[in-house]
Each structure stands twice: as structure tokens, then as C-alpha cells.
């Protein structure tokens, strides 16, 4: 028997009231981690390949752990329309390095933990107490790459 509801009534169960719309994702960050000199060289090669293929903002090198990150790394910031190309490319071309991929929804703690996708080893997110529960919108960024090669 199919239950009928009055016009305008929601069929959504109460448990689904916390569903977030994907439009809350303002941008993404991919963090490319390395430890050894050989891994850093691999990270450099991956960075060059990303720059040739994707419209992104390549962040600074951090040769020591910084913020919530347990290992040295650099960040790749990109807009949602680049996700469909960059995420699969990283899956296939991370060359054994660990990658943290997370959205930026205005909730940094949840973005680095509950919303995060790990490629390779899942690392500890350090100093969680320093990551705010919420913050304002992500600042606009201008890509610093000039893609010339198809992914």
C-alpha cells in the first residue's frame, strides 16, 4: 500500500534533514604529501604535470609539516568545475604519494576530516583544535597555471 501525503508535505525522512547541497562546495584543495628526497622529486614531477594539464592555483612548498598536516606537502587549489578532471587524474598519477582531497564548504574541521577523501595512506590530521568549525567564504583565487596538455 502506498502512503499518500498532503500537497506540499515532505517525503524526506527526518534522518535526511542534514543533507548538504553540493553547491556549498566553494572550491577544493588537494594536498600532495612527501617525506623522502625521492618522494619530493616525485611530488615535483606531479606538480609540473598538474601545471601543464589543469587550471589550478599551485601553493607553496612546505618542507616541514604545517597546520593540520602531518607531513611536508604542497596544496593544489581548484574550482568545482575542475574536479571531474583533476580528481581522476590524481587517482591514476599520484605515483604512490599520499593525497588528501577535500572540499571547502566554510567548515574547515569537517572538510579536513568528515568530508575528506584520501588517496594512499590516511594520515593523521594534527592540531584539530586549531581548525575552526566554520569560517567565511573562501577567498577568490586566480589560477597560476597555463594548461597546454590534455589530461
Amino acid at each position: 500500500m502506498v502512503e499518500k501525503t498532503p500537497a506540499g508535505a515532505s517525503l524526506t525522512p527526518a534522518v535526511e534533514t542534514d543533507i548538504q547541497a553540493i553547491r556549498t562546495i566553494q572550491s577544493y584543495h588537494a594536498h600532495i604529501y612527501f617525506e623522502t628526497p625521492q618522494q619530493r622529486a616525485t611530488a615535483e614531477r606531479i606538480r609540473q604535470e598538474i601545471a601543464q594539464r589543469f587550471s589550478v592555483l599551485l601553493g607553496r612548498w612546505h618542507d616541514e609539516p604545517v597546520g593540520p598536516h602531518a607531513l611536508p606537502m604542497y596544496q593544489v587549489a581548484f574550482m568545482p568545475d575542475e574536479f571531474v578532471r583533476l580528481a581522476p587524474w590524481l587517482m591514476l598519477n599520484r605515483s604512490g604519494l599520499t593525497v588528501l582531497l577535500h572540499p571547502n564548504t566554510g567548515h574547515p574541521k569537517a572538510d579536513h576530516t568528515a568530508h575528506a577523501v584520501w588517496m594512499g595512506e590516511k594520515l593523521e590530521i594534527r592540531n584539530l583544535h586549531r581548525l575552526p568549525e566554520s569560517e567565511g567564504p573562501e577567498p577568490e583565487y586566480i589560477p597560476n597555471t597555463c594548461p597546454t596538455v590534455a589530461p
Side-chain angles (χ1 to χ4, degrees):
M1 176 172 142
V2 176
E3 186 177 329
K4 295 186 179 186
T5 59
S10 174
L11 294 175
T12 306
V15 76
E16 291 185 20
T17 59
D18 292 331
I19 297 298
Q20 296 182 48
I22 60 173
R23 70 179 173 271
T24 63
I25 298 173
Q26 302 162 30
S27 63
Y28 290 93
H29 289 166
H31 300 277
I32 315 293
Y33 296 98
F34 57 91
E35 269 187 290
T36 67
Q38 180 182 3
Q39 288 177 335
R40 192 181 197 287
T42 300
E44 288 174 9
R45 182 184 50 75
I46 291 170
R47 184 181 174 96
Q48 291 169 356
E49 298 292 338
I50 289 170
Q52 291 177 358
R53 289 167 170 74
F54 303 99
S55 180
V56 300
L57 176 62
L58 292 171
R60 295 186 323 256
W61 286 92
H62 297 281
D63 288 316
E64 298 291 328
V66 61
H69 304 285
L71 291 177
M73 60 90 197
Y74 63 85
Q75 173 184 285
V76 180
F78 56 100
M79 299 305 291
D81 60 346
E82 196 70 274
F83 180 90
V84 71
R85 295 169 0 107
L86 182 54
W89 188 91
L90 282 170
M91 290 172 187
L92 298 175
N93 295 289
R94 64 185 179 82
S95 298
L97 297 182
T98 295
V99 176
L100 166 61
L101 177 61
H102 69 80
N104 294 307
T105 66
H107 301 281
K109 188 177 282 188
D111 290 341
H112 282 80
T113 56
H115 303 155
V117 174
W118 288 92
M119 298 175 203
E121 179 185 355
K122 182 177 180 180
L123 303 175
E124 173 191 10
I125 297 296
R126 302 171 3 163
N127 304 314
L128 269 178
H129 64 282
R130 291 187 178 170
L131 285 174
E133 294 290 337
S134 63
E135 65 182 6
E138 276 289 297
E140 279 196 48
Y141 73 88
I142 298 171
N144 59 2
T145 59
C146 189
T148 58
V149 178

